[in-house]
């Protein structure tokens, strides 16, 4: 499936920001085909040890399958050392994960990156999505990619993968595994 997604956001000088994300998606449930993600957050500096923070409240809204709606709180702290940046993330669910009663999740991840000359950046991510509840199971996920600024656009080529296989309790079916299959993703972004 080809995925098309985009977002529109606004940020104030105080660090407050808001926006809306949209994407087509493909899950086993055929009604889960569109995602709308309104978000609001605050970013800034912690004022010591050159740490920055980003607190984000994000809702996942599925117009054709509102029973799957849920929200997350993203908590990120980052430290820059020279041209390297290390971001640590904890993302707990605010309510039941994908609307499944009693399922709670927390994603833990680290996102290192390194900036080179002429707008080139290498970055990656390593995380674990903990998922608790009857019949739930977590998984490890990772990505590695390169970004380059060209002609006023940011191009991103990234490899994604996870440890989800046919034995996974939640995504072990052939259709479920397609969501987590290894893949290369090309992204193009423009900031105004």
């Amino acid at each position: 499936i080809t995925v098309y997604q985009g977002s529109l956001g606004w940020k104030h000088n105080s660090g407050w920001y808001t926006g809306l994300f949209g994407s087509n998606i493909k899950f086993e449930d055929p009604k889960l085909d569109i995602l709308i993600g309104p978000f609001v957050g605050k970013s800034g500096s912690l004022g010591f040890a050159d740490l920055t923070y980003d607190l984000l409240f994000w809702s996942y809204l599925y117009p054709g399958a509102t029973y799957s709606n849920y929200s997350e709180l993203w908590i990120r702290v980052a430290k820059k050392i020279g041209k390297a940046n290390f971001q640590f993330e904890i993302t707990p669910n605010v309510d039941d994960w994908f609307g499944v009663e009693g399922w709670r999740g927390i994603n833990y991840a680290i996102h290192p990156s390194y900036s080179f000359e002429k707008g080139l950046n290498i970055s990656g991510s390593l995380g674990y999505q903990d998922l608790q509840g009857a019949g739930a199971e977590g998984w490890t996920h990772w990505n590695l990619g390169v970004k380059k600024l060209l002609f006023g656009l940011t191009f991103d080529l990234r490899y994604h993968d996870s440890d989800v296989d046919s034995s996974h309790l939640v995504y072990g079916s052939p259709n479920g595994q397609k969501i987590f299959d290894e893949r290369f993703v090309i992204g193009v972004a423009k900031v105004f």
Side-chain angles (χ1 to χ4, degrees), residues 92-111:
N93 289 96
V94 176
D95 44 15
D96 290 334
W97 190 81
F98 268 101
V100 179
E101 187 175 349
W103 280 21
R104 292 296 181 156
I106 300 179
N107 187 59
Y108 305 93
I110 180 171
H111 312 283

Side-chain angles (χ1 to χ4, degrees), residues 66-92:
T66 56
Y67 47 82
S68 292
N69 293 352
Y70 72 103
S71 300
E72 292 179 332
L73 179 62
W74 296 22
I75 305 164
R76 300 175 179 157
V77 176
K79 170 74 174 172
K80 189 169 185 171
I81 303 170
K83 295 184 178 184
N85 191 57
F86 299 92
Q87 184 181 83
F88 303 92
E89 173 188 330
I90 298 175
T91 308

Side-chain angles (χ1 to χ4, degrees), residues 10-168:
W10 171 86
K11 185 172 183 176
H12 189 268
N13 290 337
S14 65
W16 284 99
Y17 61 92
T18 188
L20 184 66
F21 172 85
S23 179
N24 66 314
I25 55 175
K26 184 64 178 166
F27 286 106
E28 288 191 66
D29 183 341
K31 294 181 180 179
L32 284 170
D33 57 356
I34 297 291
L35 165 63
I36 297 172
F39 59 88
V40 62
K42 172 82 166 71
S43 62
S45 174
L46 291 175
F48 61 92
D50 295 325
L51 294 174
T52 58
Y53 69 89
D54 189 4
L55 301 174
L56 169 69
F57 180 81
W58 181 294
S59 287
Y60 295 84
L61 306 177
Y62 303 97
T66 56
Y67 47 82
S68 292
N69 293 352
Y70 72 103
S71 300
E72 292 179 332
L73 179 62
W74 296 22
I75 305 164
R76 300 175 179 157
V77 176
K79 170 74 174 172
K80 189 169 185 171
I81 303 170
K83 295 184 178 184
N85 191 57
F86 299 92
Q87 184 181 83
F88 303 92
E89 173 188 330
I90 298 175
T91 308
N93 289 96
V94 176
D95 44 15
D96 290 334
W97 190 81
F98 268 101
V100 179
E101 187 175 349
W103 280 21
R104 292 296 181 156
I106 300 179
N107 187 59
Y108 305 93
I110 180 171
H111 312 283
S113 65
Y114 189 88
S115 295
F116 295 90
E117 302 297 325
K118 299 181 182 178
L120 181 66
N121 179 279
I122 294 177
S123 62
S125 178
L126 176 61
Y128 179 72
Q129 174 65 58
D130 185 28
L131 192 57
Q132 301 292 319
E137 180 180 7
W139 63 90
T140 301
H141 53 89
W142 56 90
N143 70 67
L144 181 63
V146 61
K147 288 183 187 178
K148 175 70 174 161
L149 183 62
L150 290 171
F151 314 113
L153 299 171
T154 302
F155 294 87
D156 186 296
L157 175 62
R158 190 160 302 276
Y159 171 78
H160 292 265
D161 204 357
S162 74
D163 67 349
V164 172
D165 61 19
S166 61
S167 68
H168 197 268

